[in-house]
């Protein structure tokens, strides 16, 4: 590796590390605000908070790494051009491809890191995050109960408490339980308390009423009468409801696309009985996982084409930088549109790869001097030879 390559590579790599970590930390802070209330008001251990939010970092890095690679590549070369360092390097005989070599090395490293993130670390971390969510929802369900708020402990269990005292006693309790399909239950109680149990937390209710919709035939009806729904009301002095028992196991069994590996996305297990819509979505997600790391290399190529192919400008390359930024923003928007289109119809999956590789191919063509592109030669004045060689012109006139 030449000294010039080491010099530029070091600048790009250090900037990439600093910008990526800084941007990921900023996103982490904004996302962690959703969980900080669990620590301050609901007693969730701070170590659990750090582990839960830390599991989101691989997803952040996988998303922002192509963007930060483009940003540091573009502005590193714009700075070199502004400081006239590129002029000196070109005067020493270095071509555009030789000058682009440091950025290409760093972009290749970013692509490799992105591939590891997308194919291994992101599904592993997201699966662990979902497991923590499930455990908090079922084993630590009490922390979600807020005073004066209808709290969804699960998709089919809602709890409301009018007042929550300092000792944990709940007053004015309403529980709507739909875990038994076809027989929803509504429980009203004057007060209650949440206690831990072997299978998860349970709430002990005192002085309340249990209302349930039951399907049965009317009394004294002839045989064969179809059942009709009717309300059953039961008053109780003490009752208990388990908050962790959801009556369904899909939350622990089914996994979404982000916590599956690429092989599982491209070839779903037929025994899972997935809907055709989910299978199409998983296949598009699998191809997106494999293609998205390549955008780091493509975006770096866009930055190189904007910074190197425009040549030296005395007043800087601001317009070229703005054009490159607009191009990358457009590519990001197209990536979202292409991903959604491919998820609906897998025939558009090749567009995912075109979006990932196409900008690199076009930028390489621009860096190579745009061969085949028609160019207009600058006009030469008719009297330019006479002015350039006045002696020769006078001699020819005398002859």
């Amino acid at each position: 590796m030449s000294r010039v390559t080491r010099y530029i590579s070091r600048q790009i790599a250090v900037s990439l590390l600093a910008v990526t970590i800084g941007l990921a930390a900023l996103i982490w802070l904004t996302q962690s605000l959703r969980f900080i209330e669990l620590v301050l008001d609901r007693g969730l251990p701070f170590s659990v908070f750090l582990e839960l939010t830390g599991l989101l970092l691989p997803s952040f890095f996988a998303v922002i790494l192509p963007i930060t690679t483009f940003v540091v590549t573009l502005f590193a070369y714009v700075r070199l051009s502004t400081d006239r360092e590129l002029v000196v390097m070109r005067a020493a005989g270095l071509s555009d491809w030789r000058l682009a070599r440091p950025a290409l090395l760093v972009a290749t490293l970013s692509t490799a890191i992105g591939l590891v993130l997308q194919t291994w670390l992101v599904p592993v971390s997201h699966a662990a995050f979902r497991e923590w969510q499930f455990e908090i929802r079922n084993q630590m369900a009490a922390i979600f109960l807020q005073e004066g708020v209808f709290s969804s402990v699960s998709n089919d269990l809602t709890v409301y408490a009018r007042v929550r005292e300092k000792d944990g006693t709940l007053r004015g309790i309403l529980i709507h339980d739909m875990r038994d399909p076809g027989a929803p239950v509504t429980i009203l109680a004057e007060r209650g308390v949440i206690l831990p149990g072997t299978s998860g937390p349970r709430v002990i209710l005192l002085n309340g009423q249990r209302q349930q919709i039951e399907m049965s035939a009317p009394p004294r009806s002839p045989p064969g009468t179809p059942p009709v729904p009717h309300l059953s009301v039961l008053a109780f002095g003490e009752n208990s409801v388990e908050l962790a028992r959801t009556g369904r196991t899909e939350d622990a069994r089914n996994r979404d696309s982000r916590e599956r590996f690429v092989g599982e996305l491209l070839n779903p297990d037929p025994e899972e009985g997935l809907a055709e819509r989910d299978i199409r979505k998983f296949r598009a997600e699998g191809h997106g996982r494999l293609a998205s790391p390549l955008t780091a290399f493509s975006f770096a190529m866009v930055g190189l084409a904007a910074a190197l192919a425009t040549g030296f400008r005395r007043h800087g390359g601001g317009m070229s930088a703005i054009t490159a930024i607009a191009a990358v923003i457009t590519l990001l928007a197209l990536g979202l549109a292409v991903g959604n289109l491919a998820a609906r119809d897998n025939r558009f999956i090749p567009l995912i790869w075109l979006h990932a590789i196409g900008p690199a191919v076009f930028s390489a063509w621009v860096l190579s001097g745009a061969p085949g592109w028609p160019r207009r030669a600058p006009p030469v004045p008719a009297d330019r030879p006479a002015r350039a060689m006045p002696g020769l012109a006078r001699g020819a006139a005398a002859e």
Side-chain angles (χ1 to χ4, degrees):
M1 185 182 295
S2 66
R3 184 176 298 180
V4 172
T5 302
R6 288 197 303 269
Y7 169 69
I8 301 178
S9 298
R10 188 184 305 113
Q11 293 190 32
I12 297 176
V14 172
S15 300
L16 178 62
L17 185 64
V19 173
T20 303
I21 293 178
L23 187 57
L26 179 62
I27 298 176
W28 177 80
L29 287 175
T30 58
Q31 295 297 316
S32 62
L33 294 178
R34 299 181 301 167
F35 306 97
I36 194 65
E37 184 183 2
L38 302 179
V39 177
L40 299 179
D41 298 336
R42 302 304 169 202
L44 186 71
F46 189 71
S47 59
V48 175
F49 165 78
L50 290 178
E51 183 174 355
L52 186 64
T53 55
L55 292 173
L56 299 173
L57 288 176
S59 300
F60 299 157
F61 282 115
V63 172
I64 67 176
L65 191 57
I67 302 174
T68 55
T69 302
F70 160 75
V71 170
V72 299
T73 299
L74 175 63
F75 285 97
Y77 280 87
V78 168
R79 188 192 66 80
L80 290 174
S81 178
T82 304
D83 294 342
R84 309 299 192 267
E85 295 181 69
L86 288 183
V87 176
V88 176
M89 295 176 188
R90 285 191 172 111
L94 298 182
S95 65
D96 286 345
W97 281 108
R98 183 69 179 275
L99 293 173
R101 183 184 300 176
L104 296 180
L105 292 175
V106 176
T108 301
L109 180 61
S110 298
T111 301
I113 294 174
L115 191 62
V116 173
L117 288 172
Q118 292 285 14
T119 57
W120 176 67
L121 194 54
V122 168
V124 170
S125 62
H126 190 72
F129 178 78
R130 288 288 301 274
E131 290 177 3
W132 263 117
Q133 276 190 322
F134 180 79
E135 183 176 351
I136 290 175
R137 174 166 291 185
N138 290 275
Q139 303 301 326
M140 304 179 185
I143 66 176
F144 286 106
L145 300 184
Q146 303 182 30
E147 181 179 280
V149 176
F150 287 90
S151 304
S152 297
V153 178
S154 65
N155 293 333
D156 42 22
L157 182 63
T158 303
V159 181
Y160 172 85
R162 179 170 49 83
V163 177
R164 182 170 185 167
E165 299 179 350
K166 295 182 179 180
D167 59 355
T169 301
L170 306 176
R171 296 188 180 276
I173 304 172
L174 182 147
I175 299 177
H176 187 62
D177 189 352
M178 299 181 62
R179 293 175 290 188
D180 187 5
V185 177
T186 301
I187 301 176
L188 305 173
E190 293 182 1
R191 57 190 178 94
V193 63
I194 298 178
L195 299 176
T198 57
S199 59
R202 64 170 57 193
V203 56
I204 306 299
L205 304 173
L206 302 176
N207 300 330
Q209 189 180 84
R210 177 188 176 95
Q211 304 175 2
Q212 183 175 5
I213 299 295
E214 297 180 348
M215 300 292 295
S216 62
R220 300 179 183 179
S221 59
T225 303
V228 295
H230 70 277
L231 178 64
S232 174
V233 180
L234 175 65
F236 60 84
E238 180 176 340
N239 192 9
S240 65
V241 177
E242 294 184 2
L243 299 181
R245 183 176 58 84
T246 60
R248 301 188 308 172
T249 58
E250 286 85 351
D251 292 340
R253 186 174 64 244
N254 284 349
R255 297 175 297 161
D256 64 15
S257 60
R258 288 178 295 175
E259 55 184 320
R260 294 173 182 259
F261 293 98
V262 174
E264 299 175 279
L265 293 172
L266 297 178
N267 300 292
D269 189 356
E271 296 183 358
E272 293 188 54
L274 298 174
E276 184 63 27
R277 180 183 62 181
D278 294 333
I279 294 177
R280 292 194 301 267
K281 177 182 176 182
F282 285 177
R283 286 174 180 166
E285 175 74 15
H287 284 274
R289 291 268 193 90
L290 294 175
S292 60
L294 299 177
T295 58
F297 192 88
S298 293
F299 289 176
M301 289 289 293
V302 172
L304 287 172
L308 295 178
T310 54
F312 171 72
R313 294 178 182 274
R314 178 173 298 180
H315 301 289
M319 185 56 64
S320 300
I322 293 174
T323 303
I325 292 172
V328 169
I329 292 175
T330 304
L331 289 173
L332 291 173
L334 287 176
L336 295 175
V338 167
N340 293 331
L341 187 62
R344 290 195 294 267
D345 191 343
N346 288 164
R347 291 178 298 178
F348 295 101
I349 285 178
L351 293 179
I352 296 177
W353 293 97
L354 180 62
H355 169 266
I357 301 175
V361 175
F362 179 78
S363 300
W365 176 72
V366 173
L367 276 176
S368 300
W373 186 262
R375 289 180 174 84
R376 293 182 56 189
V380 178
D383 58 342
R384 184 172 181 178
R387 292 181 180 177
M389 297 178 289
L392 293 178
R394 287 195 297 269
E399 293 178 0

